[in-house]
Tab-separated table of all heavy atoms in Angstrom:
chain	number	residue	atom	x	y	z
A	376	LYS	N	47.654	-28.887	-57.874
A	376	LYS	CA	46.739	-27.931	-57.344
A	376	LYS	C	46.104	-28.354	-56.178
A	376	LYS	O	45.919	-27.593	-55.175
A	376	LYS	CB	45.768	-27.545	-58.465
A	376	LYS	CG	44.882	-26.325	-58.087
A	376	LYS	CD	44.056	-26.122	-59.368
A	376	LYS	CE	43.105	-24.798	-58.981
A	376	LYS	NZ	42.275	-24.461	-60.129
A	377	LYS	N	45.489	-29.639	-56.151
A	377	LYS	CA	44.764	-30.050	-54.924
A	377	LYS	C	45.641	-30.246	-53.729
A	377	LYS	O	45.272	-29.932	-52.535
A	377	LYS	CB	44.040	-31.412	-55.207
A	377	LYS	CG	42.871	-31.234	-56.205
A	377	LYS	CD	42.307	-32.664	-56.556
A	377	LYS	CE	41.199	-32.452	-57.369
A	377	LYS	NZ	40.550	-33.842	-57.878
A	378	TYR	N	46.851	-30.699	-53.921
A	378	TYR	CA	47.935	-30.843	-52.920
A	378	TYR	C	48.202	-29.552	-52.237
A	378	TYR	O	48.236	-29.517	-50.934
A	378	TYR	CB	49.108	-31.560	-53.403
A	378	TYR	CG	50.270	-31.530	-52.428
A	378	TYR	CD1	50.328	-32.363	-51.278
A	378	TYR	CD2	51.439	-30.643	-52.675
A	378	TYR	CE1	51.327	-32.288	-50.385
A	378	TYR	CE2	52.456	-30.680	-51.759
A	378	TYR	CZ	52.418	-31.444	-50.574
A	378	TYR	OH	53.374	-31.405	-49.773
A	379	THR	N	48.646	-28.617	-52.971
A	379	THR	CA	48.912	-27.256	-52.485
A	379	THR	C	47.800	-26.590	-51.778
A	379	THR	O	47.987	-25.961	-50.701
A	379	THR	CB	49.489	-26.382	-53.551
A	379	THR	OG1	48.638	-26.362	-54.589
A	379	THR	CG2	50.889	-26.851	-54.172
A	380	SER	N	46.635	-26.721	-52.384
A	380	SER	CA	45.421	-26.093	-51.853
A	380	SER	C	45.113	-26.870	-50.457
A	380	SER	O	44.760	-26.212	-49.493
A	380	SER	CB	44.218	-26.366	-52.730
A	380	SER	OG	43.033	-25.908	-52.116
A	381	TYR	N	45.162	-28.102	-50.298
A	381	TYR	CA	44.963	-28.878	-49.033
A	381	TYR	C	46.038	-28.459	-48.017
A	381	TYR	O	45.748	-28.251	-46.813
A	381	TYR	CB	45.041	-30.453	-49.341
A	381	TYR	CG	45.211	-31.194	-48.052
A	381	TYR	CD1	44.062	-31.469	-47.291
A	381	TYR	CD2	46.394	-31.734	-47.642
A	381	TYR	CE1	44.206	-32.245	-46.087
A	381	TYR	CE2	46.501	-32.460	-46.433
A	381	TYR	CZ	45.316	-32.687	-45.670
A	381	TYR	OH	45.445	-33.409	-44.502
A	382	HIS	N	47.266	-28.489	-48.424
A	382	HIS	CA	48.417	-28.127	-47.456
A	382	HIS	C	48.146	-26.714	-47.040
A	382	HIS	O	48.297	-26.408	-45.707
A	382	HIS	CB	49.699	-28.194	-48.273
A	382	HIS	CG	50.857	-27.836	-47.298
A	382	HIS	ND1	51.550	-28.708	-46.479
A	382	HIS	CD2	51.491	-26.696	-47.006
A	382	HIS	CE1	52.478	-28.239	-45.735
A	382	HIS	NE2	52.490	-26.947	-46.154
A	383	ASN	N	47.836	-25.673	-47.757
A	383	ASN	CA	47.674	-24.300	-47.440
A	383	ASN	C	46.325	-24.119	-46.615
A	383	ASN	O	46.358	-23.295	-45.667
A	383	ASN	CB	47.638	-23.455	-48.645
A	383	ASN	CG	48.942	-23.235	-49.400
A	383	ASN	OD1	49.992	-23.636	-48.768
A	383	ASN	ND2	48.933	-23.043	-50.704
A	384	ASP	N	45.289	-24.893	-46.871
A	384	ASP	CA	44.121	-24.800	-46.024
A	384	ASP	C	44.314	-25.351	-44.642
A	384	ASP	O	43.859	-24.760	-43.664
A	384	ASP	CB	42.995	-25.602	-46.690
A	384	ASP	CG	42.448	-24.850	-48.011
A	384	ASP	OD1	42.652	-23.678	-48.097
A	384	ASP	OD2	41.785	-25.553	-48.796
A	385	LYS	N	45.182	-26.460	-44.675
A	385	LYS	CA	45.465	-27.103	-43.377
A	385	LYS	C	46.281	-26.111	-42.444
A	385	LYS	O	46.098	-26.109	-41.207
A	385	LYS	CB	46.390	-28.270	-43.525
A	385	LYS	CG	46.712	-29.135	-42.466
A	385	LYS	CD	47.580	-30.393	-42.908
A	385	LYS	CE	48.010	-31.173	-41.597
A	385	LYS	NZ	48.901	-32.309	-41.925
A	386	ASN	N	47.161	-25.221	-43.063
A	386	ASN	CA	47.857	-24.285	-42.276
A	386	ASN	C	47.289	-22.846	-42.404
A	386	ASN	O	48.159	-21.819	-42.282
A	386	ASN	CB	49.350	-24.369	-42.764
A	386	ASN	CG	50.060	-25.618	-42.550
A	386	ASN	OD1	50.522	-25.842	-41.423
A	386	ASN	ND2	50.118	-26.527	-43.476
A	387	LYS	N	46.045	-22.715	-42.676
A	387	LYS	CA	45.437	-21.499	-42.974
A	387	LYS	C	45.617	-20.555	-41.741
A	387	LYS	O	45.889	-19.352	-41.850
A	387	LYS	CB	43.961	-21.572	-43.309
A	387	LYS	CG	43.347	-20.346	-43.797
A	387	LYS	CD	41.852	-20.534	-44.174
A	387	LYS	CE	41.811	-21.401	-45.502
A	387	LYS	NZ	40.395	-21.507	-45.915
A	388	VAL	N	45.390	-20.943	-40.633
A	388	VAL	CA	45.442	-20.279	-39.383
A	388	VAL	C	46.889	-19.725	-39.100
A	388	VAL	O	47.054	-18.546	-38.809
A	388	VAL	CB	44.992	-21.070	-38.126
A	388	VAL	CG1	45.191	-20.277	-36.790
A	388	VAL	CG2	43.528	-21.557	-38.295
A	389	VAL	N	47.837	-20.616	-39.283
A	389	VAL	CA	49.256	-20.187	-39.042
A	389	VAL	C	49.720	-19.129	-40.085
A	389	VAL	O	50.297	-18.205	-39.852
A	389	VAL	CB	50.167	-21.346	-39.114
A	389	VAL	CG1	51.644	-21.051	-38.974
A	389	VAL	CG2	49.831	-22.462	-38.156
A	390	LEU	N	49.289	-19.440	-41.341
A	390	LEU	CA	49.614	-18.417	-42.436
A	390	LEU	C	48.907	-17.164	-42.183
A	390	LEU	O	49.555	-16.032	-42.375
A	390	LEU	CB	49.103	-19.069	-43.725
A	390	LEU	CG	49.885	-20.199	-44.311
A	390	LEU	CD1	49.233	-20.911	-45.487
A	390	LEU	CD2	51.229	-19.895	-44.700
A	391	SER	N	47.698	-17.143	-41.642
A	391	SER	CA	46.979	-15.903	-41.496
A	391	SER	C	47.621	-15.103	-40.311
A	391	SER	O	47.832	-13.881	-40.443
A	391	SER	CB	45.508	-16.274	-41.081
A	391	SER	OG	44.836	-15.013	-40.736
A	392	GLU	N	48.114	-15.812	-39.286
A	392	GLU	CA	48.847	-15.096	-38.176
A	392	GLU	C	50.083	-14.544	-38.600
A	392	GLU	O	50.491	-13.479	-38.161
A	392	GLU	CB	49.049	-16.192	-37.014
A	392	GLU	CG	47.783	-16.656	-36.255
A	392	GLU	CD	48.002	-17.717	-35.276
A	392	GLU	OE1	49.127	-18.289	-35.246
A	392	GLU	OE2	47.033	-18.046	-34.492
Side-chain angles (χ1 to χ4, degrees):
K376 186 176 180 181
K377 288 179 181 179
Y378 167 72
T379 53
S380 177
Y381 167 77
H382 181 87
N383 294 335
D384 287 342
K385 185 180 176 182
N386 293 278
K387 188 179 289 184
V388 176
V389 179
L390 289 170
S391 178
E392 289 176 354

